[in-house]
Amino acid sequence: MRVLGIDPGLGRCGWAVVERGPHGTTALGYDTVTTRGAAVAPRLAHLAARLREVVARYQPDAFAIERLFVNANVRTAMTVGQASGVALLIAAEQGLPVASYTPSQVKRAVTGTGSAPKAQIGYMVRALLKLHAVPTPADTADALAVALCHLHHVTSLGAGEAAGAGRGNGAAGHGEHAAAEPDAGRANGAARTGRGIAAATEADWLARAAPTSPWRGP
């Protein structure tokens, strides 16, 4: 599965394409679209054009976006909402299935805690995807985290459905559960790439994430 993750924003909109395959989970491309100026309409048009280019280049199977949450700054909330609308429009144009996640859901999926700081998200994204450096700016790292969150959600959902089918057919022994487990195992195994991080700070965060992080092994 190939997922386009979006961290919406008008001034800075992070995007990331992450693919889960038989050999692991890989970041295919990621960046942050930056717009400036007093007029909002041209900035939204620029954002739309860039996101269309990303979709055309990477051909994602699914679209995941961080859900707008209540913000005390009305202006910030408004611009994030505008950028979210543009991103959702692009997904609808391409017929992509859309999933949205709250910031705490994204943090929990990647770090094991819904209150993780920005720096921890960046380090975990780097570790999980075996990147050479922490993605910057933070909008890019957040978009990668959103994509990882969706892959985790899909994997967990598939494993749960397989487990339910296995229980329902336990007496018959048709093997549906057994057939579904290897794919989930490969996905979880591919995601457990945070081991052996040299930096003390990263190792400490990885240790604190276990065993609550969905991406951590025993």
Side-chain angles (χ1 to χ4, degrees):
M1 171 178 278
R2 184 175 293 186
V3 181
L4 170 58
I6 298 290
D7 178 46
L10 181 57
R12 293 191 306 272
C13 179
W15 66 267
V17 179
V18 178
E19 183 174 63
R20 185 188 65 200
H23 302 295
T25 303
T26 308
L28 302 181
Y30 49 89
D31 199 358
T32 291
V33 179
T34 303
T35 70
R36 294 186 178 86
V40 173
R43 298 170 68 184
L44 293 174
H46 175 69
L47 176 59
R50 287 292 307 278
L51 292 181
R52 286 193 182 98
E53 290 173 2
V54 170
V55 171
R57 177 177 180 181
Y58 293 100
Q59 297 292 308
D61 303 308
F63 183 99
I65 188 169
E66 187 169 272
R67 187 182 305 164
L68 178 64
F69 61 100
V70 177
N71 194 307
N73 188 321
V74 176
R75 182 175 181 180
T76 298
M78 183 177 296
T79 57
V80 171
Q82 290 169 330
S84 296
V86 167
L88 292 171
L89 171 63
I90 304 304
E93 287 177 345
Q94 302 300 317
L96 294 174
V98 176
S100 61
Y101 301 94
T102 65
S104 61
Q105 285 177 313
V106 174
K107 292 176 182 179
R108 190 176 300 111
V110 175
T111 71
T113 174
S115 58
K118 287 279 189 183
Q120 185 176 358
I121 296 171
Y123 276 112
M124 287 297 295
V125 164
R126 175 195 172 189
L128 296 170
L129 293 171
K130 297 181 179 179
L131 304 178
H132 294 298
V134 174
T136 57
D139 311 85
T140 302
D142 288 347
L144 284 162
V146 171
L148 286 171
C149 176
H150 183 65
L151 287 174
H152 165 67
H153 175 77
V154 171
T155 300
S156 299
L157 186 63
E161 291 176 349
R167 285 192 297 271
N169 298 313
H174 293 305
E176 286 87 346
H177 187 198
E181 285 181 337
D183 289 336
R186 280 195 297 270
N188 288 334
R192 294 167 188 159
T193 55
R195 295 191 179 100
I197 300 300
T201 304
E202 295 176 57
D204 176 59
W205 278 338
L206 286 166
R208 278 190 288 164
T212 56
S213 174
W215 294 101
R216 292 292 293 158

